[in-house]
Amino acid sequence: GHIDELKGVPITEELLLRAGFESGASESNSIYYHKKVGENDFCIRFMRGVSGIYFCLGNECESSYEIKFYFHELQNLHYALTKTELTLK
């Protein structure tokens, strides 16, 4: 195999739950996932059927922006923002 054939693991609801996120409010085609890190919530909105993951920090989930990427990149972002590793259970 060639290295350019390697693909990341897409973020799924199952992976978010295994990583310690809890499902929260839902509206139309999205569910919010929260993970308590210290005094702050790390919040993700997962759009069902859409290949996009939406991120926000704290309680201001309205000011989120779209980022499309893979689980290892979520792990990197989580570590950069919280200084704790995101692992699967």
Side-chain angles (χ1 to χ4, degrees), residues 12-53:
T12 64
E13 293 177 89
E14 178 188 354
L15 281 177
L16 292 174
L17 295 173
R18 288 182 56 203
F21 287 87
E22 297 178 10
S23 60
S26 62
E27 51 185 64
S28 63
N29 65 341
S30 65
I31 296 179
Y32 290 87
Y33 291 89
H34 298 268
K35 179 180 174 81
K36 192 77 168 165
V37 180
E39 296 180 12
N40 299 310
D41 277 334
F42 191 81
C43 175
I44 291 178
R45 185 171 68 190
F46 180 77
M47 303 296 289
R48 289 190 204 132
V50 176
S51 60
I53 301 296

